[in-house]
Structure formats: C-alpha cells, structure tokens
Amino acid sequence: MDIQLVALYVAPLTALVALVYGLYLTRNVIAQPEGSDKLVTIAKAVREGAMAYLRKQFSVVLPIMAGLAILIALTLGTGIAVTFLMGAIFSAVIGYFGMWIAVRANVRTAHAAQRGLNPALKVAFGAGTVNGMLVVGLGLLGVSVIYMWSYFTYIGSGADAVAKHATDVLVGYGFGAALLALFMRVGGGIFTKAADVGADLVGKVEKGIPEDDPRNPATIADNVGDNVGDCAGMAADVFESYALTIVAAMILGGTLFGLKGVVFPLLARSGAILTSILGTLFVKARNEQEDPIKPLIRGFVISAVAAVIIFMGLATYLLGEPRAGYAAISGILAMMGLLYVTKYYTGPGEKPIINMARASNTGAGTNIISGLGYGMESTFVSVLIVAGAIFVGYWLLGYYGISLAGMGMLATTGIIMALDTFGPISDNAQGMVEMAGMSGKAASVTSGLDAVGNTTKALTKGFAVGSAAVAASSLFATYFEATGLKAIDIAVPKVFIGLLIGGALPFLFSSRLISSVGRAAFEVVEEVRRQFREIKGIMEGKRLPDYSRAVAIVTRAAQRELVLPAFIVVIAPVLTGLMGAQALGGFLGGVVVSGLTLALFMCNTGGAWDNAKKYIEDGNFGGKGSDTHKAAVVGDTVGDPLKDTAGPALNPMMKIVQIVALLIAPFVVRFVGM
C-alpha cells in the first residue's frame, strides 16, 4: 500500500483509539460512588470553584485568540489561521476536560480509599490516564487532519506539494496550541500558588493548623488551585510540546527524506500511543502493602521499552535509516535521565532533601541557602543531559535528529501525563479525607498516594522542561531552514545584542509572574486573617469560613495578570526581528539557553523546598509545629511561585518565541534582510 495512504488512515485511527480509551476510562471513573454527604459537599465546592475559574479564563482568552486568528488570516493566509484556531481549540479542550475528570475523580478516590490501595489507585490513575489520552489523541488527531487536508487538496500536484503545504500550515497549529497553553499555565499558576502561599502563611505558620484543615478559609481555593495549575495548565503545556515536536520533525523530515520523512513522525506517534496504553494496563498494586510508586514505575518502563521497539522498527523498515531510531532512543534515554536527576534532587528521603531539612534547624535563611545551592547544582546536571540528547540527535541526522530526539522524549507522553494528573487527584483526595474527618484505612491509603503524587508531579515537571527545551531547539533549527541561514556569528554586534535580549527575556517574563503571585497572595493572607479575626468560632470548629471569598480573590488576580506576559512573549521576537534575521537568530538562541536553565532551576529548587518541608512534617527534626518546620514552610513558600508558576510557564514561552520567529521569518528576510 502507498505510504501516504498508510499514514493517512493509521494516524487518525490511532488517535481515535486513544480518545475512545479515554472515554471508556471516564465512564469507569464516573461510575464509582462519591461517598458521604460531607465528602460530596467538599468536592462540590472544589469542583464549582475550578470550573468557574476556567469559564472566567476562557472569557478573557477567547476574544484574544479570535482577534489573532483574523490578523494571521490577513497577513499569513487563511490556512495558517485555520490551523492556529485548531491548535488553540484542541489545547483548550484538553485543559477543560482534563480538569473536568480530575475534579470528579478526587472525591471518588477518597471514598475508594476506604476499600484499600488498589480501588483508590484505579480511580486516581484511571482519571489521570484520561488526561494522558486527551493529550496524545488530540495532539496526533490535529496533525493528522492537517495532513489529510494537504493530501486531498494537493495530491494532484505530487507528493512534494502535499509535504510542503502540510509543513507550511503546521506552524499555525503549533502557535495556537502554544499560546493557549501559555494562558492556561500563567493563569493556573498564579491561581494555585497565590492560594497555596496564603493558606500556608496564615494556617501553618500563624495558626499552627494542618494544610487541609477545614478551618482555613483558603483551603478550598488551595485544592481548586491544584487542579487549574497541575491538571489544566500542565495538560495544555505538554500538549503543545507534543504537537510542536511532530511539527518540527515533519518540517525537517520533509527537507531531508521527502515524503517518508514527513510520514515517519505520524506513524511513530501512532505507535507510541499504543505503547502508552499498554503501559497503563500494568499499573496495579500486587498487594495492599506494595509501595504505590512501584506499579506506576512498572507501567512507565513497559511503555518506554515498547516505544524503543516501535521507533527502531519504523526507522529501519520505513525510512531505511536506523539512525533515525537511534536519535529517537537518545531522547527516550535523556527523558529517563531527567526523571532520575529530578527524583534525586527533589525526591522525599533523598540526600539533598535531608540536608535541606537539617539546615532548617537554624532558621529559614539557612534552609533557603541550602535549597539555592542544590537547585543550581541540579540545573547543571540536567542541562548536560539535554545537551547530550541534542548532540547525539545532531550527530546522527543533523537538525532532523534533534527533532527526533524531542519526539523520543515525548514518546511516553500518554503515561507521563497520567502520572502527572494522578498527583493533584491524590492530593485533593487526601485533603478531602482530612477535611471530612475520615481516619483508619482511608487516611493511610490517601496519605501514601499523596506522597507518591508529590513525587510524580515533581518528576513530570522535569520531563516537561526538558522536552520543551528540545522542542524549542528543534524549532530553532527550522528557523535556519526558513531563513536560509547556515550559521550565525555571535561576534557580530547585532547578533550578540539579540543573544543578550533573548537571554534576559525569561527573567522579565518570570518577574511578572512571581510578582503577580506575591500580590495575589498578599490579598489572600489579608482575607484569611480577616476571617479568623471577625468570624467568631472558626478556630473552635463551630462555624465554617467563607471559602468562596478566597476563591474569588485568586480568580480575579489570575485574570488581571494574564495578558501582559503573553503580549511580552509575542512582541519581543517581532521587535528583535527589526535588526535582521541574524539578530533574531541570536535572540532565539538566548531564549532557549536562559529559559531552559532558569526553568530547571526554579522547578527543582521549589520542589526540593517543598519536600524538605514534608520530610520535617513526617516527624523528622522536630516535626510539625516546631521552629524547624516553620523555617521550612518559609522556604516552601518562596519556592511555590518558582516551581508551579514561573518555572513551568517558561516551557510554552520558549516555544512561542520560536514559532513567532518562524511565522515572521519571510518578512524579516524580505524587508529587513540578514
């Protein structure tokens, strides 16, 4: 059968298999009971807050996206405008429905925990897998639909015409996905950390009550934030990395191998979806005493090994070039290396975490100093891994090899996203058990799942940053293809200026987000203090706080701070392009280098501070309520906007500047010059 026809049908059918599997799991999760009236009431407050936030965010974002689509249609053509809207819509759908299932699975996980580990694990991981299937299914479906459009429109002009049209309009798809993801990441990150910081500073430090104590007026907002930040934001973020690596691989593959190079990423992604589904089938505890992390790792390893086999088979028998398979495998190995490094520097019980907890004995200052040191060290080690993947990919197949390394890093996206969403679901379930006053087996099971969920969230942040950097590097390579540049010389002043501006941009972007969290957290702290002061009987448990006020405060703050960071990211490459194509190339290189290192530093440092605090809460170095614990809470508070707001938001930021540069490259070359 003609290879074009194989890709034409296999890729979209595989995408539909993923979506159908997600629907099947959704029905299984929703069929589980929610539990007691008290659990249902708590869950309803979290669910309504989360969905109200998303509706408000979409009311702000959608008009902006529509206006941009019209501008793109007028300047770059209707084809790119259509794919831009498709990428944005798919990204929005993933964010919305990923959170929809998460805020329904949390209470069901809490109730299932009364029956034991496997029932709770099945609900939490099943709902997480729904999110994973949405990401990989819609990611591949969108690219497949664009390829089918190109095929049926241009097949009469030959295979090269099909490949050219597909790769031309795919940039719009990536731009739409990336920009929507940026909005979701920025808004969700501000919401979740403003609520978390406000809840911790007053609840833990000033009042000495647990994190999810129902007496804390910010506790519902904190639980809502877990979903809008770690479910909706992360899903949209990884989706656009997933989509962009396909886009880059198809563009570069078409240049090097012709139509086979365009088709290979589609079929490789199809195979990787099936391997992710295979891995999820093995996530089941062997007994009630097994550490919950073990079945999760088991499923991941099976998925990764199967992906290696798929990549090598397609590279050998489709492309006739085994080096393509080796390039993809280098990405898989790099991804596993990043997960290991992240686990070492941020994982509970690891040497850096114990040392940071010990440093808290002498106050918040030494806790913060210790965290900064380990965060910087982890950044260097992580960058070596990413650099190694890029080097191996380029050594094997040039720029195309880099894009394939990026595809390899994202080969197990389906199960990685399941692990990520498992985290906030388990966190919410543990909080609900505590707020509902449940004890015994339910408390023990959800506590174990929550601890594992914290680890998986930290691991997937490292995965997201690394894959974003490789995806951005792939797009950087396509910029050279688009402009005809062979290389850029940083000894040329305008190139060096572009490099400096690009290196500084992630700092400006991050400053806006961190400041936004600080301002919103200040409002939350004042509101929580007011309620403790004015509503008599909260601390005695005689009256419930007004949870909705804290939710409303962080919702307003997130929307208020949403637009300016996105505007900065979109306009910066346009202004730099006025100096010419070489200066813009330097700018793009600066963004990747600075964005990667800053994102790794912030995510790892923040995650380490968080787990150092949890290590103390587990009864070490004085335990909860001690001065050591209070010092660690301060460190965790500093790290919150780093690891959950600014750090993750740099992922879509790095890729958006690359895509905008690709879109304006023809105009820069024509009207400004090299």
Side-chain angles (χ1 to χ4, degrees):
M1 182 181 289
D2 189 289
I3 191 63
Q4 294 183 82
L5 294 177
V6 171
L8 200 64
Y9 296 113
V10 169
L13 285 175
T14 308
L16 291 175
V17 167
L19 296 175
V20 169
Y21 183 52
L23 179 62
Y24 165 76
L25 292 174
T26 299
R27 295 185 64 180
N28 285 350
V29 169
I30 298 301
Q32 303 302 312
E34 292 183 294
S36 67
D37 290 343
K38 196 166 187 178
L39 271 178
V40 170
T41 300
I42 296 167
K44 183 181 179 183
V46 174
R47 184 168 62 246
E48 289 178 349
M51 303 316 288
Y53 165 79
L54 267 193
R55 285 192 295 270
K56 180 66 175 176
Q57 184 172 70
F58 285 145
S59 71
V60 173
V61 169
L62 292 182
I64 297 173
M65 302 301 285
L68 274 174
I70 294 171
L71 180 62
I72 291 171
L74 294 174
T75 56
L76 300 172
T78 55
I80 294 179
V82 169
T83 56
F84 169 81
L85 285 176
M86 184 187 298
I89 291 169
F90 278 14
S91 191
V93 167
I94 288 168
Y96 183 88
F97 284 103
M99 197 174 76
W100 185 92
I101 186 66
V103 295
R104 286 160 175 78
N106 48 20
V107 63
R108 290 168 168 84
T109 300
H111 179 66
Q114 296 177 108
R115 306 198 307 272
L117 173 60
N118 259 325
L121 181 63
K122 182 179 179 181
V123 174
F125 185 76
T129 304
V130 173
N131 211 8
M133 292 301 106
L134 277 169
V135 170
V136 298
L138 288 180
L140 182 59
L141 183 63
V143 176
S144 301
V145 168
I146 292 169
Y147 178 74
M148 292 173 72
W149 170 30
S150 302
Y151 178 85
F152 288 116
T153 305
Y154 291 92
I155 189 58
S157 302
D160 289 344
V162 173
K164 185 178 187 309
H165 180 263
T167 54
D168 284 347
V169 298
L170 275 168
V171 180
Y173 182 71
F175 185 34
L179 191 57
L180 202 287
L182 181 69
F183 282 125
M184 299 283 276
R185 261 302 190 192
V186 169
I190 293 171
F191 185 108
T192 183
K193 289 304 104 180
D196 193 8
V197 170
D200 280 359
L201 286 179
V202 183
K204 288 183 178 180
V205 177
E206 295 183 8
K207 295 296 183 180
I209 58 178
E211 181 173 356
D212 293 303
D213 195 299
R215 293 172 293 178
N216 192 327
T219 190
I220 293 295
D222 189 10
N223 279 275
V224 170
D226 290 337
N227 294 288
V228 300
D230 287 326
C231 292
M234 183 68 163
D237 176 7
V238 174
F239 167 73
E240 49 100 9
S241 285
Y242 187 84
L244 286 173
T245 51
I246 305 179
V247 171
M250 291 177 75
I251 292 173
L252 296 169
T255 302
L256 191 60
F257 288 100
L259 187 62
K260 285 186 178 181
V262 175
V263 168
F264 176 75
L266 291 174
L267 296 181
R269 277 283 189 255
S270 300
I273 285 178
L274 299 179
T275 65
S276 287
I277 293 175
L278 175 67
T280 65
L281 302 178
F282 288 85
V283 179
K284 184 178 181 180
R286 289 170 176 163
N287 54 64
E288 287 294 315
Q289 287 70 46
E290 185 175 27
D291 186 341
I293 194 69
K294 291 184 177 179
L296 297 176
I297 292 175
R298 203 159 44 236
F300 168 75
V301 170
I302 288 170
S303 177
V305 171
V308 168
I309 296 171
I310 292 287
F311 276 116
M312 282 307 305
L314 286 171
T316 303
Y317 296 106
L318 172 61
L319 281 183
E321 179 51 89
R323 288 180 298 174
Y326 299 145
I329 290 171
S330 74
I332 294 175
L333 294 176
M335 179 264 297
M336 296 179 77
L338 282 173
L339 294 181
Y340 175 80
V341 169
T342 305
K343 181 179 182 300
Y344 174 73
Y345 283 101
T346 67
E350 299 287 356
K351 183 180 177 181
I353 301 306
I354 295 173
N355 288 342
M356 289 170 63
R358 183 180 291 110
S360 304
N361 278 320
T362 50
T366 45
N367 167 277
I368 291 172
I369 291 169
S370 177
L372 291 174
Y374 279 116
M376 291 176 181
E377 181 181 303
S378 72
T379 299
F380 179 76
V381 178
S382 300
V383 166
L384 288 181
I385 293 173
V386 174
I390 293 172
F391 172 78
V392 172
Y394 185 79
W395 176 66
L396 289 168
L397 280 173
Y399 291 139
Y400 187 50
I402 296 175
S403 68
L404 293 179
M407 285 194 61
M409 291 188 76
L410 287 150
T412 55
T413 294
I415 197 165
I416 285 284
M417 282 308 304
L419 294 174
D420 179 76
T421 311
F422 168 85
I425 291 172
S426 300
D427 191 349
N428 269 200
Q430 197 274 334
M432 289 174 179
V433 165
E434 186 173 322
M435 284 187 277
M438 300 166 66
S439 58
K441 181 180 285 188
S444 175
V445 168
T446 55
S447 177
L449 291 179
D450 183 33
V452 171
N454 287 328
T455 301
T456 60
K457 284 191 294 183
L459 294 179
T460 52
K461 281 187 176 68
F463 155 79
V465 175
S467 61
V470 177
S473 299
S474 301
L475 292 168
F476 186 35
T478 63
Y479 175 76
F480 285 87
E481 296 284 342
T483 56
L485 285 169
K486 300 300 181 184
I488 53 176
D489 184 357
I490 62 170
V492 176
K494 67 178 182 179
V495 176
F496 192 66
I497 290 170
L499 185 69
L500 290 175
I501 296 172
L505 182 64
F507 287 87
L508 174 63
F509 178 76
S510 300
S511 75
R512 295 295 311 177
L513 303 190
I514 293 171
S515 298
S516 298
V517 171
R519 286 190 291 271
F522 177 83
E523 294 181 47
V524 174
V525 167
E526 290 298 303
E527 172 60 24
V528 173
R529 285 173 174 167
R530 183 195 67 79
Q531 291 199 35
F532 277 126
R533 185 174 61 250
E534 297 180 5
I535 303 177
K536 305 303 180 185
I538 289 182
M539 283 301 293
E540 294 77 20
K542 296 178 181 178
R543 292 186 64 183
L544 285 175
D546 183 358
Y547 300 122
S548 62
R549 288 292 298 273
V551 173
I553 287 171
V554 287
T555 298
R556 285 196 307 269
Q559 306 315 311
R560 185 175 64 235
E561 307 286 353
L562 194 63
V563 178
L564 184 57
F567 175 77
I568 291 171
V569 172
V570 172
I571 200 66
V574 176
L575 296 178
T576 308
L578 297 176
M579 291 190 291
Q582 293 187 65
L584 183 54
F587 169 84
L588 297 179
V591 168
V592 173
V593 172
S594 177
L596 169 63
T597 53
L598 193 57
L600 287 169
F601 169 73
M602 290 196 287
C603 288
N604 289 347
T605 307
W609 275 323
D610 188 10
N611 276 327
K613 175 203 67 177
K614 288 183 170 65
Y615 184 77
I616 295 169
E617 290 175 346
D618 289 339
N620 301 292
F621 300 115
K624 292 182 180 179
S626 65
D627 288 341
T628 303
H629 179 232
K630 291 179 179 179
V633 169
V634 174
D636 178 42
T637 302
V638 173
D640 273 339
L642 303 186
K643 71 181 175 66
D644 288 323
T645 307
L650 285 170
N651 299 342
M653 179 266 187
M654 282 190 286
K655 289 166 284 188
I656 286 174
V657 295
Q658 307 286 338
I659 297 173
V660 172
L662 278 178
L663 291 172
I664 66 173
F667 298 97
V668 172
V669 172
R670 181 178 177 184
F671 296 108
V672 182
M674 294 297 182

